[in-house]
Amino acid sequence: MLRMTAMRARQLFLALIAVNALIAIGAILGVGSESDARWQVLATSSVISAASLVLAANAATLDRSTTWWLPAAATVASLTAAALTVIGIWFEPTHGVEPFWKLIGVLATVGLAATAVGLLGLPRLRDGWRLAQLGAQASAVWIGGMIVLSILREDEGSIRAYGVAAVLFAATTIAVLVGARVAAREQEAESGALQAIAVGWCPRCGERLDAPTAATSCGACGLTFRVEVIEDSPPVG
């Protein structure tokens, strides 16, 4: 199975940047001098720029072994929406116009919602921060679902529901950002504490270890073990 990785995403991102640059150069040089054609060139460039930003955002989560499918799905949905939008800009379909643009709206919404869920899941959070993280992801799915239903039903939906979801999304996203910063500081402190621990011998064979670290391998018996700080308490006395 062909799996999209961060490397492929970066290559595709660079390709989109190159295409966008060529389109911009064509617009500057006057390719399509008519006003309609010039509008189409600028609109195409804007769509490609937006698709590039979404692709760059998803590249950050593509290498995660357990959730790689989420940014991959977001990328496929977003790029498909962008490609269909470019087709709609240049060819202006006359049959099935409404379903065509509805499909684009649904794909773009799904792509953006999945991108948000993936980015919010990047920090490794625990305890209450983890609950805020799940709440932010659920709020993103909630907002995306309401937008998709509004597109399909041609209904604006409840303004209050959008408002509640937006407030929850903003509040929990802020909590995720703060939690990520706190987790980073805790990890730095724990890493420093682990390196300061002196384990002088192997727990299996008793071989003396000259330069133990957080993850240590014994050269005599091959045992690899990790030292973990359970609680960083001040010294007694």
Side-chain angles (χ1 to χ4, degrees):
M1 180 179 63
L2 180 61
R3 171 174 170 175
M4 180 175 290
T5 62
M7 179 62 69
R8 292 194 183 98
R10 295 187 189 100
Q11 293 173 349
L12 186 55
F13 173 75
L14 293 176
L16 288 177
I17 293 295
V19 172
N20 198 26
L22 292 176
I23 292 175
I25 292 173
I28 293 174
L29 296 178
V31 175
S33 57
E34 298 180 1
S35 59
D36 290 343
R38 188 173 295 273
W39 174 86
Q40 291 171 330
V41 170
L42 294 176
T44 300
S45 178
S46 300
V47 171
I48 293 178
S49 297
S52 300
L53 291 175
V54 174
L55 181 59
N58 283 291
T61 54
L62 275 171
D63 278 341
R64 296 181 61 178
S65 59
T66 57
T67 59
W68 67 268
W69 55 269
L70 182 62
T75 300
V76 171
S78 301
L79 294 183
T80 303
L84 292 176
T85 302
V86 172
I87 292 174
I89 290 173
W90 285 96
F91 296 98
E92 299 180 356
T94 56
H95 299 287
V97 176
E98 184 175 347
F100 178 79
W101 291 108
K102 279 186 176 182
L103 175 61
I104 292 175
V106 170
L107 288 174
T109 302
V110 170
L112 291 175
T115 299
V117 171
L119 290 177
L120 289 168
L122 277 177
R124 301 293 186 180
L125 304 181
R126 295 176 295 183
D127 302 329
W129 301 114
R130 177 57 177 165
L131 293 178
Q133 186 177 41
L134 293 175
Q137 292 176 313
S139 299
V141 173
W142 182 14
I143 294 174
M146 287 192 298
I147 294 175
V148 169
L149 289 178
S150 297
I151 293 174
L152 297 178
R153 296 178 179 178
E154 299 182 1
D155 181 12
E156 295 182 358
S158 174
I159 300 299
R160 291 182 178 180
Y162 279 111
V164 171
V167 170
L168 289 176
F169 178 74
T172 50
T173 298
I174 293 174
V176 169
L177 295 176
V178 174
R181 181 58 180 169
V182 171
R185 290 186 176 181
E186 291 178 349
Q187 185 175 5
E188 291 175 0
E190 182 178 350
S191 177
L194 288 175
Q195 293 182 0
I197 296 176
V199 179
W201 58 87
C202 173
R204 172 189 288 172
C205 66
E207 179 74 12
R208 184 167 182 80
L209 305 176
D210 295 330
T213 59
T216 305
S217 295
C218 177
C221 67
L223 175 67
T224 299
F225 61 96
R226 180 182 300 275
V227 179
E228 181 180 359
V229 174
I230 303 300
E231 183 178 358
D232 187 12
S233 302
V236 179

